[in-house]
Amino acid sequence: MLYIYEPYCYHCYRWESQLEDGVKLNACKSCHLTAFCSSCQQAHPSPECAILQDAATDDRVMMDLRRRTGKSSTISYTEFPRKQYFPLSSTTDWYEYYTRLSDKGGFKSKMNRKLRYLANDSKEREFVEYMRCSTNTTTIQLTLIAALETIIPNMSTRSSINLHIIGAAGAEFSSLPAFEELLHLLPSLKPLQLSFVGLNVMEGPRDGTKTRNIHKLQCCTMCTKMGRSISITTWRGQYHAYVDTEGYKTPDLTAAFHSVFAIDEEADWYPTIKHLVHAPHPTVFAAARYFEIEREMRVWKSLGARFVKDAEVNKWKEISPSLTVCGVEPNEVIYQNNWWYIVRQQ
Ligand SMILES: [Zn+2]
Ligand SMILES: [Zn+2]
Ligand SMILES: [Zn+2]
């Protein structure tokens, strides 16, 4: 992301063009992302400055990655399937997930809990930086596993799962390879069936009819040998319409990431939300900002929805902050899937 916006004074909100002739704004010497006019105090709260420094660092890492590899995202997950089930809920944060549950235990003393590299090897530093930036992508899979653990009591022996991702778009598709993390953390799981449904799903109507497209995701050699598979059905259209199609099978869980349906698409989503309130399966929603979630909750509650989990901070939100250009407050940063809630099945 590029930070293109007109800087303004943090304290009096004046742009440079509004200052006295020839007077320039001074950038904060630590984060370089906040500006002050010469009449105002030359500082802003240090916790806020620290978060902006984090945002700037991660942004540089991602720009560097893009420049060198042409990739716009990095995905870091468990390399080999686990033999034994350890609940994700037994870990407290991303650091524990990586070092205790996944296979990055070698970095235990080389990074802090915020996944900042502490030692001095440039290759290792890069690896840890990618791990941290990967949380932008794998927040989807870990949030799904956490939701499944909340609603399904026998995850350790569960052999199949059927997930429907509603309103799927770019973020879900670029995170596709990371869905194998569900197989790698849930050892008894054999087929994982995923359906991506939404108006932005890439494959759409063919020959005037809405065609369902089914793909197999290429799994690792070990998963393939064990007969484990991930199938992906894509269907372009609204979810409540998908429910009426022939191949629809009641899922174990529906999920939507950053739908922000209550902000500007409420009319489009309304029939889908209404369906989900009465659906025979639970639904998890996640979004970056509290006001988005707050408005969503209002819509759900007006329809009589009940909740397994009320809106709260998601342990598996993205760890890297991103600066929002049109934030509600100055220097507002967001984390993907910061908030989540789970709607109860009927
Ligand atoms: Zn000022
Ligand atoms: Zn600063
Ligand atoms: Zn695998």
Side-chain angles (χ1 to χ4, degrees):
M1 191 195 296
L2 282 172
Y3 300 125
I4 305 171
Y5 65 105
E6 195 180 347
Y8 57 88
C9 171
Y10 179 82
H11 300 287
C12 67
Y13 301 111
R14 287 185 298 167
W15 291 304
E16 206 160 76
S17 56
Q18 293 172 303
L19 300 179
E20 301 75 34
D21 274 352
V23 176
K24 296 247 177 280
L25 288 168
N26 308 316
C28 167
K29 288 188 175 60
S30 305
C31 67
H32 308 282
L33 288 168
T34 302
F36 316 104
C37 77
S38 51
S39 329
C40 289
Q41 194 199 337
Q42 304 292 300
H44 65 128
S46 50
E48 182 185 283
C49 188
I51 291 173
L52 292 186
Q53 289 175 49
D54 267 1
T57 306
D58 292 341
D59 202 49
R60 268 198 304 278
V61 171
M62 286 311 294
M63 291 225 295
D64 185 52
L65 171 79
R66 222 166 296 161
R67 207 188 52 238
R68 287 182 305 110
T69 65
K71 285 191 211 155
S72 58
S73 62
T74 148
I75 299 177
S76 168
Y77 61 95
T78 312
E79 195 177 349
F80 301 112
R82 299 217 52 141
K83 290 193 176 65
Q84 222 188 326
Y85 170 67
F86 291 103
L88 183 60
S89 60
S90 70
T91 59
T92 54
D93 55 15
W94 283 96
Y95 171 83
E96 275 200 8
Y97 152 74
Y98 273 128
T99 58
R100 210 157 64 77
L101 203 65
S102 186
D103 48 11
K104 313 293 189 287
F107 289 94
K108 218 173 158 145
S109 59
K110 290 178 175 170
M111 61 185 186
N112 66 16
R113 292 204 92 92
K114 288 169 76 192
L115 310 184
R116 288 284 179 213
Y117 185 61
L118 303 170
N120 245 329
D121 180 289
S122 65
K123 271 268 161 275
E124 279 187 354
R125 172 178 304 279
E126 193 171 273
F127 191 82
V128 172
E129 281 172 344
Y130 286 3
M131 245 154 61
R132 185 176 150 89
C133 291
S134 171
T135 66
N136 169 272
T137 311
T138 49
T139 168
I140 291 179
Q141 287 72 26
L142 262 52
T143 301
L144 285 170
I145 295 173
L148 289 166
E149 284 183 351
T150 308
I151 57 163
I152 298 174
N154 59 337
M155 276 310 276
S156 62
T157 53
R158 186 67 180 230
S159 60
S160 74
I161 283 171
N162 176 7
L163 289 176
H164 290 178
I165 318 276
I166 311 176
E172 287 84 351
F173 287 103
S174 56
S175 80
L176 267 185
F179 277 95
E180 199 169 353
E181 185 68 342
L182 273 75
L183 296 186
H184 288 190
L185 291 191
L186 309 171
S188 59
L189 184 59
K190 284 228 158 153
L192 169 62
Q193 292 168 291
L194 300 170
S195 298
F196 292 93
V197 179
L199 294 169
N200 295 320
V201 166
M202 286 176 284
E203 274 121 318
R206 281 185 193 155
D207 312 309
T209 58
K210 283 184 172 167
T211 314
R212 172 189 308 269
N213 290 283
I214 303 173
H215 317 263
K216 283 255 181 260
L217 192 76
Q218 183 63 51
C219 292
C220 73
T221 324
M222 281 175 88
C223 284
T224 311
K225 266 192 196 147
M226 289 186 283
R228 310 174 83 190
S229 65
I230 301 177
S231 68
I232 300 161
T233 304
T234 54
W235 196 83
R236 182 146 86 190
Q238 286 168 305
Y239 188 72
H240 59 275
Y242 179 64
V243 173
D244 292 328
T245 62
E246 216 173 285
Y248 169 85
K249 230 182 87 214
T250 305
D252 296 298
L253 175 73
T254 51
F257 297 94
H258 199 66
S259 74
V260 293
F261 75 84
I263 303 303
D264 49 14
E265 291 176 3
E266 200 177 321
D268 276 353
W269 274 80
Y270 195 75
T272 289
I273 301 298
K274 222 169 142 182
H275 162 77
L276 293 172
V277 167
H278 303 287
H281 57 78
T283 295
V284 59
F285 269 63
R289 297 196 270 187
Y290 185 68
F291 77 88
E292 295 163 349
I293 287 288
E294 211 181 13
R295 282 206 222 170
E296 289 178 21
M297 291 303 269
R298 232 176 282 154
V299 177
W300 288 103
K301 283 178 177 162
S302 75
L303 287 164
R306 293 180 309 136
F307 297 86
V308 177
K309 193 178 279 296
D310 245 308
E312 63 177 39
V313 171
N314 176 12
K315 208 198 279 185
W316 307 111
K317 69 181 186 181
E318 170 189 24
I319 213 168
S320 307
S322 321
L323 194 66
T324 56
V325 175
C326 329
V328 180
E329 290 157 25
N331 289 343
E332 185 186 356
V333 294
I334 59 163
Y335 303 88
Q336 293 306 322
N337 304 327
N338 196 342
W339 298 91
W340 76 328
Y341 56 83
I342 304 175
V343 180
R344 193 180 287 276
Q345 71 189 74
Q346 289 298 303

